[in-house]
Amino acid sequence: MRSNVQLRFTLNGEPVEASFAPYKTLLEVLREDLGLTGTKHGCELGECGACAVLIDGEPQLSCLALALECEGRSVETVEGMARGATLHPLQAAFADLGAAQCGYCTPGILLTAKALLEKEKQPSRERIREAISGNLCRCTGYQQIFEAIEEAARRMNEGPR
Amino acid sequence: MKVLGKPRRRVDGRSKVTGQTRFADDVVLPRMLHMKLLRSPHPHALIENIETERAKNHPGVHLVLTGKDFPVTFGILPVTQDEYPLAPQHVRYVGDPVAAVVAKDEQTATQALDLIEVKYRILDTISSPEEALAKPEPRIHAYSERGNIHRLQAFEFGDVEASLKEADHVFEDLFFYEGNTHLPIEQHASVAALDGEGKLTLWSSTQVPHYVHKALARVLQLSPTRIRVIATPNGGGFGGKCDVCNHEMVAAKAAVLLGRPVKICLNREEVFYMHRGRHPVLMKFRTGVTRDGKLTAMHVQTLADGGGYGSYGAASTFYTGALQTVTYELPRYKFDAARVFTNKPPCGPKRGHGTPQPRFGQEVQLDKIAEKLGIDPADFRLKNILKANSLTANWLKVGSIGLAECIGQVVSRSGWKERHKRLPHGKGIGLACGSYLCGAGLPIYWNKMPQTGVQLLLDRSGQVTVFCGATEIGQGSDDVLAAIVAEVLGIDPFEIRCVTGDTGITPIDLGSYSSRVTVMMGNAAIQAAEKLKKLIAEAAAEQLEVLPERLSFADGKVFFEAKTLSFAEAVGFAEEKFGTLGAVGSYKPPRPPGRYKGAGVGPSPAYSYTACVVEAEVDPKTGWITVPKIWIAHDIGRAINPVLARGQVEGSVYMGLSEALMEEQVFRRLPPRLSGALVHKIPSLLEYKSLTSLDMPEVDTVLVEDPDPNCPFGAKEAGQGPLLPVMPAVANAIYDAVGVRIDELPITPDKVLRALQKKKNGEQPRVGPESFPQVPYPKPLIVPPPWEGGDGKEIKRNDAATVV
C-alpha cells in the first residue's frame, strides 16, 4: 500500500495541513481531500483554464501542479475571494453583468482577473483579453466578462463606499 | 413591468461566482465508489470474448460489469432504442463502452481497466456517407431503412419542378457543413446512490432529467416510482447533455447492485467520444426566383453523417429540411433528406439542431442570387420576408416576425449601404438572417399531456417556492422562472426560492432543448401565479374593502391607492380564507395545423428571428481571416432579463463564429500496420480549435422586441436562433472581401488560398463540394400548401395533378 504524504501550506489565508497520496495534483487535493469543490476542471491537461488558482498571487493551473510543490506556499481559490459575506468586486461585477452564465469557467477566470487587477489598476481591454486568453468560456462570447473585469477595476479604484 | 425587461443580476448569480453552484462532479457522498468505462479501441468490431477475472480480483475493485449485465437497449427517440449501456457484441465507434469497473478510487478503477481482456473480430469500417451509400455491408444497424442508410425522407409541398421551370432564374448550389462538437467546459458526470428507502437517486449533468428517468426505468427494469433523477446545474450544455448516456445507466446499475454511491466523471477524451454533436451535412439547393427578386420555389437535398447510433438523428434529419420556410415567403418547397450510419461517434443535437447547416446554404445562396439580380442583399431579404401570422408551404404556423426591424438595425448600425461592395480589396462585409423554434411543438414521446408544469407554494411568511422540472444549463432558466412569478405577484425575484430539475419533487419539464424553456415553463408559471394572485386579491380586497380587480401587486405590496397590505400580510389573509396556498400551472403548445406524417417536426408556439452583419478582413497572401466586428439584432419578443438575453445572443455569436472559422470534428485512418482503424484526429481541447478571448471580435447587440401572443409576456427564445446567421454572414463577408466563395465550413485559410489561386488561374473562384452522390430518396409525400387547396394532409400521388 502506498503511504500518504503531509503538506503544510496557506490556503485562502489560513494555515492548512493535508495528507494525501503523493501523485495527487493540487486540483485533486483541493477538491477531494480538502472539500473545496469551487475549483473546477475541464480537461486535467492544462488546456481549458477552469482549474486556475493563485499560488503566491500568480495564476497557475492546479491540474498541472503537484500538490507537493505547494509546501509552504500560499494558495488562493474562489472560496477565499469574498470578505466575509461581502463579495469581492470582481465577483459582484461578474454576477451583476452576466459574466457567469453556466458558471463553470467562472472561478478560474475570477482568480486570473484578480491577479491582473492586483498588478494593473486599470488594464486596457487588450490586456484583459491577453490575461484570460488561457481560460476557455463556451457560454458568454467573452464580452460580458471583459465588461465585468473593467467594471470591477472601476469599483476597486473608487475604493470602499 | 416592474421586474421584466430590467437589467438585473440573475437569481443564481451569487452562487455561480462564489464556487457554491453544485455541479454533478461536486456531489460527494459517504462511502462513494468510482467508476471508469472501458471503451472500444476499434471503430467497428464484434466482441468475441471478454475476460474480466483479473480485473475483478484487483485489490480495491468492487464490481466489473459488461454487456451481459444489460439486456435492454435505450435511446432518446422511441424509434431508435439502439444503444446498450455496455455493448454486448457489436461496437460501432472508437469509444463505444464495453465494460465498467467500480473501485475505491478512480486510479484503481483505471488500473483495473487494463486487466480486462477483450477479444475483438475487426469489421470493415464505414467512414463516410459516400461509403455508407456504396456499402450496405457490413451493416452497422440491422434496423436501418436500407443497408447503412439510417433514414430517408422526402416531402413536396406544391409542384416544385413546375415552378422551377417557370422561374426567371434557377440557382443550383452545393454546400458542406463539417461536423463539430459542443465542448462544454464541464465534462459529463453522474453520481448514483440508493437512499434510505432503497430508492435510486441519480445526480447527473443532463439537460433532460425526465428522459433519463424514463430510460433508467426501462434499462434497469425498475419501477419509475423508485427512481429520482436530479439534473445538477450543467456546466454548459449546448445540446451535448441532451441524450441519455451510457455512463448514467451503468453508474445507476452499479449503485443498485452495490448499495453504495457510485460516481463517474468522463475525461475530456471521453466527452469527444460521447459527442452527439453537429451532423456533417452535404446539401444541394435549387432555388427559383423571378427577375425582380421574389422566391418562387426551393428544392433542398441533404445527406447527413450520423455516426454510429441513432441518437436524435431521425429528428435531426427532419430539421435539415423543416425550417427553410419560416423566414421568407416560399410558395412551393420540397426536401429530400437522408441520414447514414458511419463508424464514428454518434451525432445528435447541437445548438440549432439540424438547422444551422441548411441555414448556411440558404443564406449564402441568397447572397449569390442577390448579386446576380443586382439587388442589395439586405433589400432582397426584406422583399421576401414572410408575413406575420401566416402559414408556410409546409404548414407551419408562424406568429410575430420582427425580422424587418432586425435587418434595419444591423444595416444602419454597420453602415451596410455605404460599405457593402465598397470596401478596399481584402476587406468585406456580409449579411445573413435566421429563425428558430421557441420549443418543439411536440414531445419526443407522443402524448397529449403538458410539456411542462409549475407548482407554487406560498408560506404565511410571504415566502414563495416555485417547483419546476426545468434544467439550469447556464441559460438562466431559474432566473426566468423567478422573474415571471415575481412579475405576476409583484414581488422581488430574489424573494423566490426555485426548486428545479428534480424528477422526484418537481412537476415535469421535458428538458432544456429546442429553446423551449422560457416559452413553455414561462406560460405554466404565469398560469400558476395568476391562480394564486386571484386568491390573494380576493382575501386582500375584503380586508381593504375594495373590489379585488382594483388591486395592484407591485414592490412587495398589494394595494389600491393608499390602501395597502404587504405581500406577506395579504398572503396571511388568503391563508385564513382559503387554507394552505398552492397552485399549479401547465403548458402544452397549440396543435400544429399540419396533418401529414412528418408534420411533427418543425411546429413551434413561436419563431425567433435574427439578422447579422459580419465584417471580415482577409489577407490575400496567407488566407488568414480576421473578424473585427459583428452586428447582430435578435427578435426576442420581449427580454425577460436583458443581461441574460444579451449573454445568450453574444454566446451564440461566439459559437457561430467559432464554427465558421475553425471548429471541426475530424477523423483520420490509421495506417494498415496500426490496424487501419478510423480514429479521431483531435480528441482534445487543445487540438479542437475554438475561439479564445483574443479572437473574439467586438459585438454590437440589439434586442428587438416584437412580442408574440403565444409567449409569456411575449418572450421568445434567445439561446439558439442568434447562432444561425453568423456562419453564412462570415462566408458572405469573405466573398465581399476577396471575391471567392467558400461553400463549406469551417472556412480556413487554406481553403481561402485555394480559392484565390483558382481565381488567379481563371477557374471558378470557389471551394466547396463538387458533386452530390446518388441518394435513393423515396418518392416524396405530397402535401399541397395551404394556398393550393390543401388541408394539411398528404394526398395520393394521382390526385396531385388535380389539385389546383
Side-chain angles (χ1 to χ4, degrees), chain B residues 182-206:
Chain B
H182 320 84
L183 212 76
I185 305 297
E186 180 206 26
Q187 302 137 298
H188 304 57
S190 302
V191 178
L194 296 185
D195 68 12
E197 289 131 38
K199 293 178 183 169
L200 173 69
T201 303
L202 181 82
W203 290 262
S204 195
S205 36
T206 177

Side-chain angles (χ1 to χ4, degrees), chain B residues 313-393:
Chain B
S316 318
T317 314
F318 274 110
Y319 276 125
T320 64
L323 296 192
Q324 269 74 284
T325 54
V326 299
T327 316
Y328 310 108
E329 283 183 341
L330 203 51
R332 287 175 171 175
Y333 178 59
K334 179 179 179 186
F335 80 89
D336 305 312
R339 182 183 194 257
V340 297
F341 286 123
T342 58
N343 293 115
K344 292 186 274 190
C347 296
K350 185 186 173 191
R351 208 171 200 168
H353 193 189
T355 73
Q357 299 95 325
R359 176 59 62 176
F360 169 68
Q362 185 174 5
E363 295 287 328
V364 171
Q365 191 185 48
L366 289 179
D367 206 59
K368 295 182 185 185
I369 297 173
E371 188 188 32
K372 173 91 179 189
L373 299 183
I375 308 176
D376 176 88
D379 295 339
F380 180 42
R381 286 172 173 85
L382 285 168
K383 193 184 180 90
N384 281 284
I385 290 182
L386 194 63
K387 287 184 182 57
N389 305 311
S390 54
L391 281 175
T392 67

Side-chain angles (χ1 to χ4, degrees), chain A residues 8 36-37 60 106 128-129 142:
Chain A
R8 285 172 201 218
L36 296 189
T37 55
Q60 302 276 339
T106 306
I128 294 171
R129 283 176 185 274
Y142 298 104

